C-alpha cells in the first residue's frame, strides 16, 4: 500500500511538473502562431453549435477540434483553454514515456523545445506513444491498437493511414483489427451524415 502511494505521488509530481513545463515554456514565454489561431477558431465554432465541414472549411479530420470544443464549452471562450488542453496532453504523454523508459524521459525534454508539436499533431503523437506503450506491455493487443489507430485517423488522416499499414501487417487478427480501426470513422460518418455534412467532408478531407 505504501509502495502504491509512493508510485502515485511520483506520477503526480511528474505529471504536474510536465504540465507546468509545457504551459510556461510554450504558452507563456512563446508567441501565438498562425496554426494556433485557426485551430482555436475551428474548436470555438464547434463549441457554438456550428457543424464542421458544412458551416466552415477544415482540411483535417475533426477529433482534436471536437475534444478542444468541449474544453471551451466547459471552461470558457479563451485561447488559454486550448493551451491547458495541449499541456494536459503533453503531461499525459510524458507519463506514458516514463512508464516505458523511466527517468530517461527527462533527456527528451529538450527535443520537445526544438520540435514542439501542437494541436492535432500533438494528439497524433500522444496516440502514437500510447500505441508504443501498449505494444511494449502487451504483444496481444491487436484490437485495441486498431481502435487507437482509428482514433489517430480521425485526428489526421495521412498519419492514420500510414499507421494502419504496419498495424495490419503485424496483426494476427487482421479483419478484426480493421473493423476496430473503422469504428471511430463509422461514428464520425454517422454524425456527418446526420448533420448533412458528409459530402463536404469528402470534398475537404
Amino acid at each position: 500500500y505504501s509502495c502504491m502511494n509512493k508510485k502515485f505521488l511520483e506520477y503526480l509530481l511528474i505529471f504536474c511538473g510536465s504540465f507546468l513545463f509545457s504551459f510556461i515554456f510554450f504558452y507563456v514565454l512563446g508567441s501565438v502562431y498562425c496554426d494556433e489561431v485557426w485551430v482555436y477558431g475551428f474548436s470555438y465554432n464547434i463549441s457554438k453549435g456550428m457543424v464542421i465541414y458544412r458551416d466552415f472549411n477544415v482540411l483535417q479530420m475533426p477529433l482534436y477540434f471536437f475534444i478542444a470544443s468541449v474544453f471551451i464549452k466547459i471552461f470558457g471562450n479563451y485561447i488559454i483553454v486550448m493551451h491547458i488542453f495541449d499541456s494536459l496532453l503533453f503531461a499525459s504523454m510524458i507519463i506514458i514515456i516514463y512508464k516505458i523508459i523511466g527517468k530517461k524521459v527527462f533527456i527528451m525534454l529538450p527535443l520537445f523545445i526544438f520540435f514542439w508539436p501542437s494541436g492535432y499533431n500533438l494528439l497524433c503523437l500522444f496516440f502514437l506513444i500510447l500505441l508504443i506503450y501498449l505494444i511494449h506491455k502487451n504483444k496481444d493487443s491487436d484490437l485495441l491498437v486498431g481502435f487507437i489507430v482509428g482514433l489517430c485517423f480521425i485526428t489526421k488522416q495521412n498519419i492514420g493511414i500510414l499507421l494502419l499499414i504496419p498495424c495490419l501487417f503485424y496483426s494476427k487478427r487482421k479483419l478484426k483489427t480493421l473493423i476496430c480501426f473503422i469504428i471511430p470513422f463509422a461514428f464520425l460518418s454517422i454524425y456527418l451524415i446526420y448533420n448533412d455534412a458528409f459530402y463536404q467532408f469528402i470534398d475537404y478531407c
Side-chain angles (χ1 to χ4, degrees):
Y1 182 74
S2 172
C3 188
M4 284 178 63
N5 281 344
K6 186 178 177 182
K7 204 70 177 173
F8 174 77
L9 184 60
E10 181 183 3
Y11 288 148
L12 184 63
L13 287 172
I14 293 169
F15 183 88
C16 292
S18 302
F19 176 87
L20 288 173
F21 170 82
S22 168
F23 189 78
I24 292 171
F25 192 89
F26 296 107
Y27 302 122
V28 176
L29 302 180
S31 57
V32 175
Y33 56 95
C34 183
D35 269 3
E36 180 182 11
V37 176
W38 284 105
V39 167
Y40 164 72
F42 298 149
S43 305
Y44 169 81
N45 287 346
I46 295 172
S47 75
K48 293 302 177 184
M50 296 175 72
V51 176
I52 193 167
Y53 310 118
R54 187 192 72 189
D55 299 327
F56 57 97
N57 175 0
V58 181
L59 301 181
Q60 297 294 347
M61 290 288 204
L63 183 60
Y64 178 88
F65 310 126
F66 280 143
I67 301 172
S69 73
V70 173
F71 274 73
I72 290 173
K73 197 80 174 173
I74 294 172
F75 298 108
N77 175 28
Y78 309 102
I79 201 165
I80 195 172
V81 172
M82 306 288 290
H83 299 165
I84 291 170
F85 174 43
D86 278 358
S87 294
L88 288 172
L89 269 179
F90 177 80
S92 302
M93 201 166 64
I94 293 298
I95 287 291
I96 295 170
I97 299 173
Y98 180 76
K99 289 175 74 105
I100 300 171
I101 63 172
K103 293 178 181 178
K104 293 177 185 175
V105 66
F106 301 117
I107 302 172
M108 297 175 66
L109 288 179
L111 291 174
F112 286 108
I113 294 172
F114 293 105
F115 305 103
W116 174 247
S118 63
Y120 45 80
N121 291 312
L122 180 62
L123 185 56
C124 279
L125 183 59
F126 171 79
F127 286 139
L128 179 59
I129 288 168
L130 184 58
L131 287 172
I132 293 169
Y133 174 75
L134 285 171
I135 294 166
H136 175 73
K137 289 294 181 183
N138 181 13
K139 302 296 182 184
D140 189 29
S141 55
D142 295 357
L143 304 186
L144 187 54
V145 165
F147 181 76
I148 293 171
V149 172
L151 291 177
C152 193
F153 176 71
I154 65 168
T155 302
K156 193 171 184 181
Q157 59 271 43
N158 54 346
I159 295 177
I161 286 294
L162 287 173
L163 286 175
L164 178 63
I165 296 168
C167 173
L168 290 177
F169 181 80
Y170 287 106
S171 174
K172 296 174 184 175
R173 296 170 287 183
K174 289 179 172 47
L175 180 59
K176 289 183 178 178
T177 300
L178 183 61
I179 291 170
C180 289
F181 169 82
I182 292 170
I183 288 172
F185 181 70
F187 278 103
L188 172 62
S189 298
I190 292 167
Y191 166 82
L192 293 173
I193 291 167
Y194 178 78
N195 286 286
D196 195 27
F198 189 79
Y199 292 112
Q200 294 94 323
F201 157 73
I202 295 297
D203 285 341
Y204 292 135
C205 287

